[in-house]
Amino acid sequence: MLHPRIRVVAAAAYGDHRILRREAGDTGCPVMPLRFFSPRTNAAVAGFTLAAICAHAVAAPIEIVGEPVLFARGIASTEHADIRLSISPDGRSALWFSRRRPGGPGSYDIWLSRRGRLSRGEETGWSTAEPVSFNSTARDFDPAFSADGRFVYFCSDRAGGLGGSDLYRVAVAPDGFGHPEALGPSVNSAADEFAPMLSPDGNRLLFSSDRNGGAGGHDLYFADRADRIFAAARRVPGALNTVEHEFDATLLADGATLVFSRARGFATARVDLFVAQSTRHGYDAGTALSRINSANGDTYGPMLDWSDRERITYSARRDDGRDMDLYRVRYRFASPD
């Protein structure tokens, strides 16, 4: 029997196979095709598989705790579009990017604010934001500290790349930052790559790309570390990638659960946050994080807070509906049934 929240909306036969489409009520799971094996041999198995996927859609693997908190009003969260906040492991540096904020060299620039400490051990507030030294006159965006704080990963469409927007990293130095280095052709392509994020153990890169061979628009990819470089990127397995755009993703503290953004179209449909968990067969299709998805429009740019791994950061459209602000919110892993 199908899960009661799932309604079959179409069916078709292809020889010994059937394809069903499901509609996921208010679970936040997209309508997508599921292939049934031969009804003469595996009908019961196929039905169980569908029910299992639906169960994942209903039961989110995390719970949001408390209310989201606006980050650094007037410093990081401003009248401009401020997106994808990343906080260093020591909690004393914050990076994000802003669109068309005066003071930077390009139209998309990465900004930095620091928090000091008084002699008696108390922390000061966040400092006035400044553009980072590795910005260019092109678009630089989607910054992400590594878990050990030694590197910042980011996107740029600066000259010299392989395609549209490529992925780079820059070393964090005591007095600032080093020189950016491209992540190379095993990761970058002739298409666009967005939102790099290194896993908590430092062994896997997560990002999105609209390169050929994907399921739809932008898909999520993994690239495993191979010594000092990354192995060839591969699509995140399972049902997560769809004909829609999946992008702007972060791994959570367990190194497996994914929070990501999904939209039917860029600039034509709202963007919401989803959470997906890894199974033996890859990732499930994801469940909408309705507790924090903005009623005013887009919500995207999630990132694990390295200074407190029980917290994520994200961007959401302001109450006036005009542009994006930065938020932090706590989460916990849901208790197993």
Side-chain angles (χ1 to χ4, degrees), residues 277-336:
Q277 59 186 333
S278 179
T279 72
R280 289 184 303 167
H281 306 291
Y283 280 85
D284 63 44
T287 306
L289 287 175
S290 56
R291 278 270 283 108
I292 56 175
N293 283 328
S294 173
N296 303 305
D298 298 337
T299 310
Y300 54 91
M303 185 66 195
L304 183 63
D305 183 345
W306 294 122
S307 71
D308 182 348
R309 298 188 186 190
E310 295 180 351
R311 188 164 58 188
I312 58 172
T313 69
Y314 67 97
S315 302
R317 195 163 296 280
R318 294 198 296 265
D319 289 343
D320 61 14
R322 296 183 61 184
D323 244 319
M324 308 294 290
D325 276 335
L326 301 169
Y327 293 86
R328 293 189 291 185
V329 70
R330 292 194 171 277
Y331 74 93
R332 63 179 170 228
F333 291 104
S335 300

CSV table of all heavy atoms in Angstrom, one decimal, residues 277-336:
chain,number,residue,atom,x,y,z
A,277,GLN,N,18.8,12.7,3.7
A,277,GLN,CA,19.7,11.8,4.4
A,277,GLN,C,20.2,10.6,3.5
A,277,GLN,O,19.5,10.3,2.5
A,277,GLN,CB,19.0,11.2,5.6
A,277,GLN,CG,17.8,10.4,5.4
A,277,GLN,CD,17.1,10.0,6.7
A,277,GLN,OE1,17.7,9.8,7.7
A,277,GLN,NE2,15.8,9.8,6.7
A,278,SER,N,21.3,10.1,3.8
A,278,SER,CA,22.0,9.1,3.0
A,278,SER,C,21.4,7.7,3.4
A,278,SER,O,21.2,7.4,4.6
A,278,SER,CB,23.5,9.1,3.2
A,278,SER,OG,24.1,8.1,2.5
A,279,THR,N,21.1,6.9,2.5
A,279,THR,CA,20.7,5.5,2.7
A,279,THR,C,21.6,4.6,2.0
A,279,THR,O,22.5,5.0,1.3
A,279,THR,CB,19.2,5.3,2.2
A,279,THR,OG1,19.2,5.3,0.7
A,279,THR,CG2,18.3,6.5,2.6
A,280,ARG,N,21.3,3.3,2.0
A,280,ARG,CA,22.1,2.3,1.3
A,280,ARG,C,22.1,2.5,-0.2
A,280,ARG,O,22.9,2.1,-0.9
A,280,ARG,CB,21.6,0.9,1.7
A,280,ARG,CG,21.9,0.4,3.1
A,280,ARG,CD,21.5,-1.0,3.3
A,280,ARG,NE,20.1,-1.2,2.9
A,280,ARG,CZ,19.5,-2.4,2.8
A,280,ARG,NH1,20.2,-3.5,2.8
A,280,ARG,NH2,18.2,-2.4,2.5
A,281,HIS,N,21.0,3.1,-0.7
A,281,HIS,CA,20.8,3.3,-2.1
A,281,HIS,C,21.1,4.8,-2.5
A,281,HIS,O,20.7,5.2,-3.6
A,281,HIS,CB,19.4,2.9,-2.5
A,281,HIS,CG,19.0,1.6,-2.0
A,281,HIS,ND1,19.6,0.4,-2.6
A,281,HIS,CD2,18.1,1.2,-1.0
A,281,HIS,CE1,19.0,-0.6,-2.0
A,281,HIS,NE2,18.2,-0.2,-1.0
A,282,GLY,N,21.8,5.5,-1.7
A,282,GLY,CA,22.0,6.9,-2.0
A,282,GLY,C,21.1,7.8,-1.2
A,282,GLY,O,20.5,7.4,-0.3
A,283,TYR,N,21.1,9.1,-1.6
A,283,TYR,CA,20.3,10.1,-0.9
A,283,TYR,C,18.8,10.0,-1.3
A,283,TYR,O,18.5,9.8,-2.4
A,283,TYR,CB,20.8,11.5,-1.1
A,283,TYR,CG,22.0,11.8,-0.2
A,283,TYR,CD1,23.3,11.4,-0.7
A,283,TYR,CD2,21.9,12.4,1.0
A,283,TYR,CE1,24.4,11.6,0.1
A,283,TYR,CE2,23.0,12.6,1.8
A,283,TYR,CZ,24.3,12.2,1.4
A,283,TYR,OH,25.4,12.4,2.1
A,284,ASP,N,17.9,10.3,-0.3
A,284,ASP,CA,16.5,10.4,-0.6
A,284,ASP,C,16.3,11.7,-1.3
A,284,ASP,O,17.2,12.5,-1.4
A,284,ASP,CB,15.7,10.2,0.7
A,284,ASP,CG,15.9,11.3,1.7
A,284,ASP,OD1,16.0,12.4,1.4
A,284,ASP,OD2,16.0,10.9,2.9
A,285,ALA,N,15.0,11.9,-1.7
A,285,ALA,CA,14.7,13.1,-2.5
A,285,ALA,C,14.7,14.4,-1.7
A,285,ALA,O,14.6,15.5,-2.2
A,285,ALA,CB,13.4,12.9,-3.2
A,286,GLY,N,14.6,14.3,-0.4
A,286,GLY,CA,14.7,15.5,0.5
A,286,GLY,C,13.3,15.9,1.0
A,286,GLY,O,12.3,15.6,0.4
A,287,THR,N,13.3,16.6,2.1
A,287,THR,CA,12.1,17.1,2.8
A,287,THR,C,12.3,18.6,3.0
A,287,THR,O,13.3,19.0,3.5
A,287,THR,CB,11.9,16.4,4.1
A,287,THR,OG1,11.9,14.9,4.0
A,287,THR,CG2,10.6,16.8,4.8
A,288,ALA,N,11.2,19.3,2.7
A,288,ALA,CA,11.3,20.8,2.9
A,288,ALA,C,11.5,21.2,4.3
A,288,ALA,O,10.8,20.6,5.2
A,288,ALA,CB,10.1,21.4,2.3
A,289,LEU,N,12.4,22.1,4.6
A,289,LEU,CA,12.5,22.7,6.0
A,289,LEU,C,11.5,23.8,6.2
A,289,LEU,O,11.9,25.0,6.2
A,289,LEU,CB,14.0,23.1,6.2
A,289,LEU,CG,15.0,22.0,6.3
A,289,LEU,CD1,16.4,22.6,6.4
A,289,LEU,CD2,14.7,21.2,7.6
A,290,SER,N,10.3,23.4,6.3
A,290,SER,CA,9.2,24.4,6.4
A,290,SER,C,9.3,25.4,7.6
A,290,SER,O,8.8,26.5,7.5
A,290,SER,CB,7.8,23.8,6.4
A,290,SER,OG,7.7,22.8,7.4
A,291,ARG,N,10.0,25.0,8.6
A,291,ARG,CA,10.1,25.8,9.8
A,291,ARG,C,11.0,27.1,9.5
A,291,ARG,O,10.8,28.1,10.2
A,291,ARG,CB,10.8,25.1,11.0
A,291,ARG,CG,9.8,24.2,11.7
A,291,ARG,CD,9.2,24.9,12.9
A,291,ARG,NE,10.1,25.1,14.0
A,291,ARG,CZ,10.7,26.2,14.4
A,291,ARG,NH1,10.6,27.3,13.8
A,291,ARG,NH2,11.6,26.2,15.4
A,292,ILE,N,11.9,27.0,8.5
A,292,ILE,CA,12.7,28.2,8.3
A,292,ILE,C,12.6,28.7,6.9
A,292,ILE,O,13.1,29.8,6.6
A,292,ILE,CB,14.2,27.9,8.6
A,292,ILE,CG1,14.7,26.7,7.8
A,292,ILE,CG2,14.4,27.7,10.1
A,292,ILE,CD1,16.2,26.5,8.0
A,293,ASN,N,11.9,28.0,6.0
A,293,ASN,CA,11.7,28.6,4.6
A,293,ASN,C,10.8,29.8,4.7
A,293,ASN,O,9.8,29.8,5.4
A,293,ASN,CB,11.0,27.5,3.7
A,293,ASN,CG,12.0,26.5,3.3
A,293,ASN,OD1,13.2,26.8,3.1
A,293,ASN,ND2,11.5,25.2,3.1
A,294,SER,N,11.3,30.9,4.1
A,294,SER,CA,10.7,32.2,4.2
A,294,SER,C,9.3,32.2,3.5
A,294,SER,O,9.2,31.8,2.4
A,294,SER,CB,11.6,33.3,3.6
A,294,SER,OG,10.9,34.5,3.6
A,295,ALA,N,8.4,32.8,4.2
A,295,ALA,CA,7.0,33.1,3.6
A,295,ALA,C,7.1,34.2,2.6
A,295,ALA,O,6.2,34.3,1.8
A,295,ALA,CB,6.0,33.4,4.7
A,296,ASN,N,8.2,35.0,2.6
A,296,ASN,CA,8.3,36.1,1.8
A,296,ASN,C,9.0,35.8,0.4
A,296,ASN,O,9.1,36.7,-0.4
A,296,ASN,CB,9.1,37.2,2.5
A,296,ASN,CG,8.4,37.6,3.8
A,296,ASN,OD1,7.2,38.0,3.8
A,296,ASN,ND2,9.1,37.6,4.9
A,297,GLY,N,9.5,34.6,0.3
A,297,GLY,CA,10.2,34.2,-0.9
A,297,GLY,C,11.3,33.3,-0.7
A,297,GLY,O,11.2,32.3,0.1
A,298,ASP,N,12.5,33.6,-1.3
A,298,ASP,CA,13.6,32.7,-1.4
A,298,ASP,C,14.3,32.4,0.0
A,298,ASP,O,14.4,33.3,0.8
A,298,ASP,CB,14.6,33.2,-2.4
A,298,ASP,CG,14.1,33.3,-3.8
A,298,ASP,OD1,13.1,32.6,-4.1
A,298,ASP,OD2,14.7,34.1,-4.6
A,299,THR,N,14.7,31.2,0.1
A,299,THR,CA,15.6,30.8,1.2
A,299,THR,C,16.7,29.9,0.7
A,299,THR,O,16.4,28.9,0.1
A,299,THR,CB,14.8,30.0,2.3
A,299,THR,OG1,13.6,30.8,2.6
A,299,THR,CG2,15.6,29.8,3.6
A,300,TYR,N,17.9,30.3,0.8
A,300,TYR,CA,19.0,29.4,0.3
A,300,TYR,C,20.3,29.8,0.9
A,300,TYR,O,20.4,30.5,2.0
A,300,TYR,CB,19.1,29.6,-1.3
A,300,TYR,CG,19.2,31.0,-1.8
A,300,TYR,CD1,20.5,31.6,-2.0
A,300,TYR,CD2,18.1,31.7,-2.1
A,300,TYR,CE1,20.6,32.8,-2.5
A,300,TYR,CE2,18.2,33.0,-2.7
A,300,TYR,CZ,19.5,33.6,-2.9
A,300,TYR,OH,19.6,34.8,-3.4
A,301,GLY,N,21.4,29.2,0.4
A,301,GLY,CA,22.8,29.5,0.9
A,301,GLY,C,23.1,28.9,2.3
A,301,GLY,O,23.7,29.5,3.1
A,302,PRO,N,22.6,27.6,2.6
A,302,PRO,CA,22.9,27.1,3.9
A,302,PRO,C,24.4,26.7,4.1
A,302,PRO,O,25.1,26.4,3.1
A,302,PRO,CB,22.1,25.8,3.9
A,302,PRO,CG,22.0,25.4,2.5
A,302,PRO,CD,22.0,26.6,1.7
A,303,MET,N,24.9,26.8,5.3
A,303,MET,CA,26.2,26.4,5.6
A,303,MET,C,26.3,26.0,7.1
A,303,MET,O,25.7,26.6,8.0
A,303,MET,CB,27.2,27.6,5.4
A,303,MET,CG,28.6,27.3,5.6
A,303,MET,SD,29.3,26.2,4.3
A,303,MET,CE,30.8,25.8,5.1
A,304,LEU,N,27.1,24.9,7.3
A,304,LEU,CA,27.3,24.5,8.7
A,304,LEU,C,28.2,25.5,9.4
A,304,LEU,O,29.2,26.0,8.8
A,304,LEU,CB,28.0,23.1,8.7
A,304,LEU,CG,28.3,22.5,10.0
A,304,LEU,CD1,27.0,22.2,10.8
A,304,LEU,CD2,29.1,21.2,9.9
A,305,ASP,N,27.8,25.9,10.6
A,305,ASP,CA,28.6,26.8,11.4
A,305,ASP,C,29.7,26.1,12.1
A,305,ASP,O,29.5,25.3,13.0
A,305,ASP,CB,27.7,27.5,12.4
A,305,ASP,CG,28.3,28.5,13.3
A,305,ASP,OD1,29.6,28.6,13.3
A,305,ASP,OD2,27.6,29.3,14.0
A,306,TRP,N,31.0,26.3,11.6
A,306,TRP,CA,32.1,25.6,12.1
A,306,TRP,C,32.4,25.9,13.6
A,306,TRP,O,33.1,25.1,14.3
A,306,TRP,CB,33.3,25.8,11.3
A,306,TRP,CG,33.2,25.3,9.9
A,306,TRP,CD1,33.4,26.0,8.7
A,306,TRP,CD2,33.0,23.9,9.5
A,306,TRP,NE1,33.2,25.2,7.6
A,306,TRP,CE2,33.0,23.9,8.1
A,306,TRP,CE3,32.8,22.7,10.2
A,306,TRP,CZ2,32.9,22.7,7.4
A,306,TRP,CZ3,32.6,21.5,9.5
A,306,TRP,CH2,32.7,21.5,8.1
A,307,SER,N,31.9,27.0,14.1
A,307,SER,CA,32.2,27.4,15.5
A,307,SER,C,31.2,26.7,16.4
A,307,SER,O,31.4,26.7,17.6
A,307,SER,CB,32.1,28.9,15.6
A,307,SER,OG,30.8,29.4,15.5
A,308,ASP,N,30.1,26.2,15.9
A,308,ASP,CA,29.1,25.5,16.6
A,308,ASP,C,28.3,24.6,15.7
A,308,ASP,O,27.4,25.0,15.0
A,308,ASP,CB,28.1,26.5,17.3
A,308,ASP,CG,27.1,25.8,18.2
A,308,ASP,OD1,26.9,24.6,18.1
A,308,ASP,OD2,26.3,26.5,18.9
A,309,ARG,N,28.7,23.3,15.6
A,309,ARG,CA,28.2,22.4,14.6
A,309,ARG,C,26.8,21.9,14.8
A,309,ARG,O,26.3,21.1,14.1
A,309,ARG,CB,29.2,21.2,14.5
A,309,ARG,CG,30.6,21.6,14.0
A,309,ARG,CD,31.5,20.5,13.7
A,309,ARG,NE,32.8,20.9,13.4
A,309,ARG,CZ,33.8,20.1,12.9
A,309,ARG,NH1,33.5,18.9,12.6
A,309,ARG,NH2,35.0,20.6,12.6
A,310,GLU,N,26.2,22.5,15.9
A,310,GLU,CA,24.7,22.2,16.1
A,310,GLU,C,23.9,23.4,15.5
A,310,GLU,O,22.8,23.6,15.9
A,310,GLU,CB,24.4,22.0,17.5
A,310,GLU,CG,25.0,20.7,18.1
A,310,GLU,CD,24.7,20.4,19.5
A,310,GLU,OE1,24.2,21.3,20.2
A,310,GLU,OE2,25.0,19.3,20.0
A,311,ARG,N,24.6,24.2,14.7
A,311,ARG,CA,23.9,25.4,14.1
A,311,ARG,C,24.2,25.5,12.6
A,311,ARG,O,25.3,25.1,12.2
A,311,ARG,CB,24.4,26.6,14.9
A,311,ARG,CG,23.7,27.9,14.6
A,311,ARG,CD,24.0,29.0,15.6
A,311,ARG,NE,25.4,29.2,15.7
A,311,ARG,CZ,26.0,30.0,16.7
A,311,ARG,NH1,25.2,30.5,17.6
A,311,ARG,NH2,27.3,30.2,16.7
A,312,ILE,N,23.3,25.9,11.9
A,312,ILE,CA,23.5,26.3,10.5
A,312,ILE,C,23.2,27.7,10.2
A,312,ILE,O,22.5,28.4,11.0
A,312,ILE,CB,22.6,25.4,9.5
A,312,ILE,CG1,21.1,25.6,9.8
A,312,ILE,CG2,23.1,23.9,9.6
A,312,ILE,CD1,20.2,24.9,8.8
A,313,THR,N,23.8,28.3,9.2
A,313,THR,CA,23.5,29.6,8.7
A,313,THR,C,22.8,29.5,7.4
A,313,THR,O,22.9,28.5,6.7
A,313,THR,CB,24.8,30.4,8.5
A,313,THR,OG1,25.6,29.9,7.4
A,313,THR,CG2,25.7,30.4,9.8
A,314,TYR,N,22.1,30.5,7.0
A,314,TYR,CA,21.4,30.5,5.7
A,314,TYR,C,21.0,32.0,5.4
A,314,TYR,O,21.1,32.9,6.2
A,314,TYR,CB,20.2,29.6,5.7
A,314,TYR,CG,19.1,30.0,6.6
A,314,TYR,CD1,18.0,30.7,6.1
A,314,TYR,CD2,19.1,29.7,8.0
A,314,TYR,CE1,16.9,31.1,6.9
A,314,TYR,CE2,18.1,30.0,8.8
A,314,TYR,CZ,17.0,30.7,8.3
A,314,TYR,OH,16.0,31.1,9.1
A,315,SER,N,20.5,32.2,4.2
A,315,SER,CA,20.0,33.5,3.7
A,315,SER,C,18.5,33.4,3.4
A,315,SER,O,18.0,32.4,2.9
A,315,SER,CB,20.7,33.9,2.5
A,315,SER,OG,22.1,34.0,2.7
A,316,ALA,N,17.7,34.4,3.8
A,316,ALA,CA,16.3,34.4,3.5
A,316,ALA,C,15.9,35.8,3.2
A,316,ALA,O,16.5,36.8,3.6
A,316,ALA,CB,15.5,33.9,4.7
A,317,ARG,N,14.8,35.9,2.4
A,317,ARG,CA,14.3,37.2,1.9
A,317,ARG,C,13.7,37.9,3.1
A,317,ARG,O,13.1,37.4,4.0
A,317,ARG,CB,13.3,37.0,0.8
A,317,ARG,CG,13.0,38.3,0.1
A,317,ARG,CD,12.3,38.0,-1.3
A,317,ARG,NE,13.1,37.3,-2.2
A,317,ARG,CZ,14.1,37.8,-2.9
A,317,ARG,NH1,14.4,39.1,-2.8
A,317,ARG,NH2,14.8,37.1,-3.8
A,318,ARG,N,14.0,39.2,3.2
A,318,ARG,CA,13.5,40.1,4.3
A,318,ARG,C,12.0,40.2,4.3
A,318,ARG,O,11.3,39.9,3.3
A,318,ARG,CB,14.2,41.5,4.2
A,318,ARG,CG,15.7,41.5,4.4
A,318,ARG,CD,16.2,42.9,4.8
A,318,ARG,NE,15.9,43.8,3.7
A,318,ARG,CZ,16.9,44.1,2.8
A,318,ARG,NH1,18.0,43.5,2.8
A,318,ARG,NH2,16.6,45.0,1.8
A,319,ASP,N,11.5,40.7,5.5
A,319,ASP,CA,10.1,40.8,5.6
A,319,ASP,C,9.5,41.7,4.6
A,319,ASP,O,8.3,41.6,4.2
A,319,ASP,CB,9.8,41.3,7.0
A,319,ASP,CG,10.0,40.3,8.1
A,319,ASP,OD1,10.1,39.1,7.7
A,319,ASP,OD2,10.1,40.6,9.3
A,320,ASP,N,10.3,42.7,4.1
A,320,ASP,CA,9.7,43.6,3.1
A,320,ASP,C,9.8,43.0,1.7
A,320,ASP,O,9.3,43.6,0.7
A,320,ASP,CB,10.5,45.0,3.1
A,320,ASP,CG,12.0,44.8,2.8
A,320,ASP,OD1,12.4,43.7,2.3
A,320,ASP,OD2,12.7,45.8,3.0
A,321,GLY,N,10.3,41.8,1.6
A,321,GLY,CA,10.3,41.0,0.4
A,321,GLY,C,11.3,41.5,-0.6
A,321,GLY,O,11.4,41.1,-1.8
A,322,ARG,N,12.2,42.5,-0.3
A,322,ARG,CA,13.1,43.1,-1.2
A,322,ARG,C,14.4,42.4,-1.5
A,322,ARG,O,14.9,42.2,-2.6
A,322,ARG,CB,13.3,44.6,-0.9
A,322,ARG,CG,12.1,45.4,-0.9
A,322,ARG,CD,12.3,46.9,-0.6
A,322,ARG,NE,13.2,47.4,-1.6
A,322,ARG,CZ,13.7,48.7,-1.5
A,322,ARG,NH1,13.4,49.5,-0.5
A,322,ARG,NH2,14.5,49.2,-2.4
A,323,ASP,N,15.1,42.0,-0.4
A,323,ASP,CA,16.4,41.3,-0.6
A,323,ASP,C,16.7,40.4,0.5
A,323,ASP,O,15.9,40.1,1.4
A,323,ASP,CB,17.5,42.4,-0.7
A,323,ASP,CG,18.1,42.3,-2.1
A,323,ASP,OD1,18.4,41.2,-2.6
A,323,ASP,OD2,18.4,43.3,-2.8
A,324,MET,N,18.0,39.9,0.6
A,324,MET,CA,18.3,38.7,1.4
A,324,MET,C,19.1,39.2,2.6
A,324,MET,O,20.0,40.0,2.5
A,324,MET,CB,19.1,37.7,0.6
A,324,MET,CG,18.5,37.3,-0.7
A,324,MET,SD,17.0,36.3,-0.5
A,324,MET,CE,17.6,34.8,0.2
A,325,ASP,N,18.8,38.6,3.8
A,325,ASP,CA,19.6,38.7,5.0
A,325,ASP,C,20.2,37.4,5.4
A,325,ASP,O,19.8,36.3,5.0
A,325,ASP,CB,18.7,39.3,6.1
A,325,ASP,CG,18.6,40.8,6.1
A,325,ASP,OD1,19.5,41.5,5.5
A,325,ASP,OD2,17.6,41.3,6.6
A,326,LEU,N,21.1,37.5,6.4
A,326,LEU,CA,21.8,36.3,6.9
A,326,LEU,C,21.2,35.9,8.3
A,326,LEU,O,21.0,36.7,9.2
A,326,LEU,CB,23.3,36.6,7.1
A,326,LEU,CG,23.9,37.0,5.8
A,326,LEU,CD1,25.3,37.6,6.1
A,326,LEU,CD2,24.0,35.9,4.8
A,327,TYR,N,21.0,34.6,8.5
A,327,TYR,CA,20.5,34.1,9.7
A,327,TYR,C,21.3,32.9,10.2
A,327,TYR,O,22.0,32.2,9.5
A,327,TYR,CB,19.0,33.6,9.5
A,327,TYR,CG,18.1,34.7,9.2
A,327,TYR,CD1,17.9,35.2,7.9
A,327,TYR,CD2,17.3,35.3,10.2
A,327,TYR,CE1,17.0,36.2,7.6
A,327,TYR,CE2,16.5,36.4,9.9
A,327,TYR,CZ,16.3,36.8,8.6
A,327,TYR,OH,15.5,37.9,8.3
A,328,ARG,N,21.2,32.6,11.5
A,328,ARG,CA,21.7,31.4,12.2
A,328,ARG,C,20.5,30.7,12.9
A,328,ARG,O,19.7,31.4,13.5
A,328,ARG,CB,22.8,31.7,13.1
A,328,ARG,CG,24.1,32.3,12.5
A,328,ARG,CD,25.2,32.4,13.4
A,328,ARG,NE,25.1,33.4,14.4
A,328,ARG,CZ,26.0,33.8,15.3
A,328,ARG,NH1,27.1,33.1,15.3
A,328,ARG,NH2,25.8,34.7,16.1
A,329,VAL,N,20.6,29.4,12.9
A,329,VAL,CA,19.5,28.7,13.7
A,329,VAL,C,20.1,27.3,14.1
A,329,VAL,O,21.0,26.8,13.4
A,329,VAL,CB,18.3,28.5,12.8
A,329,VAL,CG1,18.5,27.5,11.7
A,329,VAL,CG2,17.1,28.0,13.6
A,330,ARG,N,19.6,26.9,15.2
A,330,ARG,CA,20.1,25.6,15.8
A,330,ARG,C,19.2,24.4,15.2
A,330,ARG,O,18.1,24.6,14.8
A,330,ARG,CB,20.0,25.6,17.3
A,330,ARG,CG,21.0,26.5,17.9
A,330,ARG,CD,21.2,26.3,19.4
A,330,ARG,NE,22.3,27.0,19.9
A,330,ARG,CZ,23.5,26.7,19.8
A,330,ARG,NH1,23.8,25.5,19.3
A,330,ARG,NH2,24.5,27.5,20.3
A,331,TYR,N,19.8,23.3,15.1
A,331,TYR,CA,19.1,22.1,14.7
A,331,TYR,C,19.6,20.9,15.6
A,331,TYR,O,20.6,21.0,16.3
A,331,TYR,CB,19.4,21.8,13.2
A,331,TYR,CG,20.8,21.2,13.0
A,331,TYR,CD1,21.1,19.8,13.0
A,331,TYR,CD2,21.9,22.1,12.8
A,331,TYR,CE1,22.4,19.3,12.8
A,331,TYR,CE2,23.2,21.6,12.7
A,331,TYR,CZ,23.4,20.2,12.7
A,331,TYR,OH,24.7,19.7,12.5
A,332,ARG,N,18.8,19.8,15.5
A,332,ARG,CA,19.3,18.6,16.1
A,332,ARG,C,18.8,17.4,15.3
A,332,ARG,O,17.8,17.6,14.5
A,332,ARG,CB,18.7,18.4,17.5
A,332,ARG,CG,17.2,18.4,17.6
A,332,ARG,CD,16.7,18.2,19.1
A,332,ARG,NE,15.3,18.4,19.2
A,332,ARG,CZ,14.7,19.1,20.1
A,332,ARG,NH1,15.4,19.8,20.9
A,332,ARG,NH2,13.3,19.2,20.1
A,333,PHE,N,19.5,16.3,15.3
A,333,PHE,CA,19.1,15.2,14.6
A,333,PHE,C,17.9,14.5,15.2
A,333,PHE,O,17.8,14.4,16.4
A,333,PHE,CB,20.3,14.2,14.5
A,333,PHE,CG,21.4,14.6,13.6
A,333,PHE,CD1,22.6,15.1,14.2
A,333,PHE,CD2,21.3,14.7,12.3
A,333,PHE,CE1,23.6,15.6,13.5
A,333,PHE,CE2,22.4,15.1,11.5
A,333,PHE,CZ,23.5,15.6,12.1
A,334,ALA,N,16.9,14.2,14.4
A,334,ALA,CA,15.7,13.6,14.9
A,334,ALA,C,15.9,12.3,15.5
A,334,ALA,O,16.8,11.5,15.1
A,334,ALA,CB,14.7,13.5,13.7
A,335,SER,N,15.2,12.0,16.6
A,335,SER,CA,15.3,10.7,17.2
A,335,SER,C,14.7,9.6,16.4
A,335,SER,O,13.7,9.8,15.7
A,335,SER,CB,14.6,10.7,18.6
A,335,SER,OG,15.1,11.7,19.4
A,336,PRO,N,15.4,8.4,16.3
A,336,PRO,CA,14.8,7.3,15.5
A,336,PRO,C,13.5,6.8,16.1
A,336,PRO,O,13.3,6.9,17.3
A,336,PRO,CB,15.9,6.3,15.5
A,336,PRO,CG,16.7,6.6,16.8
A,336,PRO,CD,16.7,8.1,17.0
